[in-house]
Amino acid sequence: MLRRLAVASVVFTAACAGQQKPAETAAPNGKPQPTEERVRIGNQPAFDVATCFPRDLALPPANQAVLVGAILTTRPEVMECLVDPKNRGPAEKTEVTVKSTVTDTSATHAVSGENLSPTGQACIQAAVDKLVKPPLLSKGAQPVEASATFEHETATSASVKFGMNEGSDYSGAIRLAQPSWCDCYANFKDSTPPVLTARVTLVKGQPVSEVAFDPSGSTEGDQVAACLKTKLAAVPANATSDKLTYPHRFVHFNSAGSETATTLPANLRFFQLELIRNQRAAAAAIALGARMDTAVAYDNVVKKFNSTKNSGLLDEMVSKCKAYVDASQGVVKALEAQQSVDQASLALVQELKATDAEGWTPVETAGKASLETTQQDLTKATAEAQAAPGICPKVNYGPKKKK
């Protein structure tokens, strides 16, 4: 159930979607310099505003499915930690494993990985500790352990890399500052901010940049742009060139946002949907774990009743079975939500395929497979939910009918 749509073969990625074409360095006379002197400005990866709004994750009793789902909900925060180059080693690929252990006295998370620096480990540790707080097990219960792995590649994941050129370095400084500008995104807790473009000018001797945003096309977008402009005034420029002007593109996603995200271009909507799908898959895993827990709880009380014939257990049997019925319906709802985003993603890919068949055909194939698997899971979950009430005891607390 914890599947991830394979998009490695696609030219577009969530990270490079925010990158710019080569920006022209302005000459002293204001005319563009020759093509061979143009500078490619990088370090403009998308920012997931979901990291601005920590979620209150209410978890059912811990089992492996619940823990795996809970860990995977932290993906936005984990990947944001890895944007900063100081949190990664020199390799292009970083792999992070989070292992959670829950006992009757504690719930802990251990973060390890390859190409992960101590500051990166500390960043992810703090995020997971803050967001994943499973309830402790009942006294004497066996410990529960689960782990999940996250992969980050600088070529395809949101990343900053310094040392390319001063324009890219300034853009990198902007991107690393964005998580501290969350007040600019206060109105986008459940939606996705529009893409914004600013003309940034760096001038030698000036401690800050000159910034002018293009009109966004909406009042909400212009408000975000105005807020970001004030924040940019605090980012040190330190230009060494006489003058450099280039476009900085602010691309935003929201893992907790709407499937529609009409403010985004079609290719960016695909990545927005992919982020949402990751969260829906995590929610489905948690729901599945909750159903497993309630099934075990009901089974245990039924076994106790069968061995003791204690009628005092009937109320507990009824309540435990109701919990199982509710949890079974919860799995159906979670999978319906996952199916919805799978369907929206596939429809969008088929639309994009009309403009680039070679690039999007592999994604369409993977999308169809993902949707088919979700539909199969949903069919099974629906059947179990429909059957669930039938296993509950039929208790009549009224007086016995006279014969």
Side-chain angles (χ1 to χ4, degrees):
M1 185 173 289
L2 303 177
R3 302 171 305 279
R4 189 169 188 270
L5 181 62
V7 294
S9 61
V10 187
V11 175
F12 299 103
T13 66
C16 69
Q19 302 295 336
Q20 293 296 306
K21 295 178 180 180
E24 292 184 352
T25 303
N29 60 7
K31 295 181 180 180
Q33 290 183 326
T35 301
E36 63 270 19
E37 296 182 26
R38 292 178 183 178
V39 178
R40 180 177 291 276
I41 304 298
N43 285 339
Q44 297 180 17
F47 175 56
D48 189 346
V49 300
T51 58
C52 288
F53 311 105
R55 302 165 298 286
D56 185 13
L57 191 62
L59 294 173
N63 53 37
Q64 286 191 331
V66 168
L67 289 182
V68 169
I71 296 169
L72 291 179
T73 65
T74 67
R75 187 180 188 279
E77 289 74 19
V78 171
M79 299 304 282
E80 183 61 33
C81 283
L82 297 175
V83 173
D84 194 331
K86 78 174 186 295
N87 292 339
R88 310 186 306 267
E92 297 298 312
K93 181 178 179 179
T94 303
E95 187 172 288
V96 177
T97 298
V98 178
K99 181 180 179 181
S100 297
T101 304
V102 182
T103 69
D104 57 0
T105 60
S106 65
T108 59
H109 311 290
V111 177
S112 60
E114 298 177 6
N115 199 50
L116 183 65
S117 72
T119 57
Q121 183 179 24
C123 180
I124 295 170
Q125 184 76 58
V128 176
D129 286 345
K130 180 179 180 179
L131 296 173
V132 181
K133 299 178 180 179
L136 302 184
L137 301 179
S138 57
K139 188 172 180 60
Q142 290 295 311
V144 177
E145 293 184 348
S147 62
T149 298
F150 304 89
E151 293 184 356
H152 177 282
E153 296 192 30
T154 56
T156 57
S157 305
S159 307
V160 165
K161 181 179 181 180
F162 291 115
M164 291 183 285
N165 53 65
E166 61 182 348
S168 295
D169 286 353
Y170 186 69
S171 284
I174 292 173
R175 178 59 183 81
L176 294 185
Q178 270 187 275
S180 65
W181 299 347
C182 285
D183 54 308
C184 293
Y185 305 112
N187 294 327
F188 292 91
K189 184 176 182 179
D190 302 311
S191 57
T192 307
V195 176
L196 302 172
T197 301
R199 300 293 298 182
V200 175
T201 300
L202 305 176
V203 179
K204 187 175 182 178
Q206 290 188 7
V208 296
S209 63
E210 299 172 7
V211 179
F213 276 87
D214 295 343
S216 70
S218 69
T219 301
E220 296 80 6
D222 290 343
Q223 289 173 343
V224 175
C227 182
L228 292 176
K229 185 173 181 178
T230 64
K231 303 295 186 182
L232 287 166
V235 180
N238 302 321
T240 57
S241 300
D242 290 338
K243 188 175 183 180
L244 172 67
T245 299
Y246 69 91
H248 185 102
R249 192 174 182 227
F250 290 87
V251 176
H252 306 99
F253 294 133
N254 188 347
S255 294
S258 167
E259 294 175 19
T260 52
T262 55
T263 59
L264 294 176
N267 65 314
L268 295 184
R269 286 205 307 274
F270 169 77
F271 298 110
Q272 165 69 14
L273 287 169
E274 179 66 3
L275 294 176
I276 294 174
R277 196 186 67 79
N278 287 333
Q279 293 301 305
R280 300 277 174 91
I286 294 171
L288 178 63
R291 187 182 68 184
M292 293 166 58
D293 178 76
T294 57
V296 170
Y298 177 59
D299 185 59
N300 287 339
V301 73
V302 168
K303 289 178 179 177
K304 187 175 180 181
F305 173 79
N306 288 337
S307 64
T308 64
K309 304 302 180 183
N310 181 0
S311 61
L313 294 172
L314 288 175
D315 285 345
E316 184 179 1
M317 288 174 64
V318 171
S319 65
K320 296 289 187 186
C321 196
K322 183 180 184 304
Y324 168 67
V325 170
D326 292 344
S328 296
Q329 294 171 346
V331 174
V332 172
K333 291 179 180 178
L335 287 171
E336 286 176 340
Q338 187 171 339
Q339 177 183 247
S340 176
V341 73
D342 282 347
Q343 290 171 331
S345 180
L346 179 58
L348 180 58
V349 167
Q350 289 171 337
E351 174 188 329
L352 291 165
K353 180 183 172 184
T355 62
D356 179 12
E358 182 180 358
W360 289 101
T361 294
V363 187
E364 180 187 32
T365 301
K368 287 179 178 179
S370 179
L371 176 58
E372 182 179 352
T373 303
T374 300
Q375 289 173 334
Q376 290 173 351
D377 290 341
L378 179 56
T379 298
K380 293 177 183 177
T382 300
E384 182 164 343
Q386 291 173 343
I391 68 171
C392 292
K394 306 299 186 290
V395 180
N396 184 355
Y397 294 101
K400 293 183 178 180
K401 295 181 179 181
K402 295 181 179 180
K403 294 183 178 179

